[in-house]
Amino acid sequence: PAILVGHDWDESGYPGPWTDCLNARYFAVGCMSQHARKILIDNGIDIPVAAIGAGVDHWDQIVPAGLADLGAKSFRFVHVVRQPDVDGTDLALRSFARVFRKSDDVSLVIACTVEIEPEIRAQIEAIRGGDGTFPDVILGVGSWTDAEIKSLFAQSGVLVAPARAAGFSLDTAYAICSGLDVIATRWGGHLDYCSDDSAWLIDFDFERSASRKSIMVSVWARAKDSSLDEALRAAYASPSEARTARTRA
């Protein structure tokens, strides 16, 4: 039997055939987070399961790409999208629209790939509606290599990550390594390195998962609007010195 290393998971359910496969073919599993470890055990994995983390020290060696300034305002929230529903892009947009106005010196920069660009643009326009005071949202479309993400983070102040389901979340870890503050859901693998002392953690309610994993029974976490709104306000109002101290906590 072999050991499966680097396994990660996000929502509460886990495919039954995968459980059978792991139990039959592997001696042990090394998960990327305590969150993933608990999910595997809760779903019937009966071989040893350990949380071994994920290395991010290579981030310091990555040279930022020459990313052009996106023309955002002075204070910049950034949201990186891989899967819009899972990453809570709609939640980030709606909260930003509730808390800020066009006259505020703040932007939300959303980084996405060309494949999901139409979906994100449709979300922005649906939430904007005919609101002439809608706050500044900038959509950055590209391949988003690590070097480009590092350059984007260098232009930003706070990562907004109200994910409905998140494993270890490398983007969140990279943001912290880049000196950004983090707003994240209080459920997921990132809690291995995010706490109330080092991040703004958002309260949530469990809801039935609508992911594409086709698991019969599974839930994920929907960030509470009031908690997310308050985190955005707090981050925006927090002096840069206080935010720096929080990142180092």
Side-chain angles (χ1 to χ4, degrees):
I3 297 176
L4 178 62
V5 177
H7 190 41
D8 203 14
W9 199 253
D10 47 19
E11 60 185 86
S12 72
Y14 193 77
W18 292 18
T19 297
D20 296 339
C21 177
L22 290 182
N23 286 334
R25 298 186 179 183
Y26 291 91
F27 174 76
V29 181
C31 291
M32 292 175 66
S33 65
Q34 292 288 352
H35 178 79
R37 176 180 182 271
K38 182 179 186 304
I39 290 171
L40 263 62
I41 292 173
D42 288 349
N43 282 275
I45 301 297
D46 57 15
I47 57 177
V49 183
I52 60 175
V56 295
D57 49 333
H58 64 281
W59 190 250
D60 291 337
Q61 308 305 316
I62 294 175
V63 178
L67 187 67
D69 189 278
L70 296 172
K73 295 185 178 182
S74 298
F75 194 101
R76 303 173 181 187
F77 290 101
V78 62
H79 175 69
V80 180
V81 190
R82 309 293 181 179
Q83 296 176 272
D85 53 349
V86 176
D87 294 330
T89 302
D90 58 320
L91 304 178
L93 276 167
R94 293 184 185 281
S95 181
F96 188 70
R98 286 192 299 266
V99 173
F100 301 107
R101 294 290 86 199
K102 185 177 181 179
S103 58
D104 294 318
D105 189 20
V106 58
S107 298
L108 172 63
V109 178
I110 300 177
C112 74
T113 61
V114 66
E115 290 80 9
I116 59 175
E117 177 187 2
E119 181 177 352
I120 304 302
R121 289 197 183 278
Q123 286 188 10
I124 294 172
E125 292 310 312
I127 295 170
R128 186 198 311 273
D131 184 359
T133 65
F134 189 77
D136 189 44
V137 175
I138 297 173
L139 186 58
V141 181
S143 58
W144 293 111
T145 63
D146 284 351
E148 290 169 335
I149 288 289
K150 191 167 187 178
S151 179
L152 176 65
F153 284 170
Q155 300 179 26
S156 307
V158 179
L159 176 75
V160 184
R164 289 180 169 90
F168 182 84
S169 187
L170 282 171
D171 286 328
T172 301
Y174 292 157
I176 292 175
C177 290
S178 298
L180 271 67
D181 286 298
V182 166
I183 296 172
T185 312
R186 194 186 294 275
W187 191 71
H190 52 275
L191 296 186
D192 285 0
Y193 55 86
C194 288
S195 68
D196 285 310
D197 293 327
S198 61
W200 281 280
L201 296 179
I202 315 160
D203 295 331
F204 65 91
D205 292 309
F206 282 120
E207 65 179 15
R208 184 72 176 264
S209 169
S211 76
R212 301 173 177 84
K213 294 189 175 74
S214 300
I215 303 169
M216 186 172 295
V217 179
S218 189
V219 300
W220 59 17
R222 186 196 187 282
K224 290 186 175 182
D225 291 346
S226 59
S227 185
L228 180 52
D229 292 357
E230 181 54 36
L232 289 178
R233 290 191 189 97
Y236 181 64
S238 182
S240 59
E241 296 81 4
R243 288 190 285 109
T244 298
R246 176 181 287 269
T247 302
R248 293 174 179 172

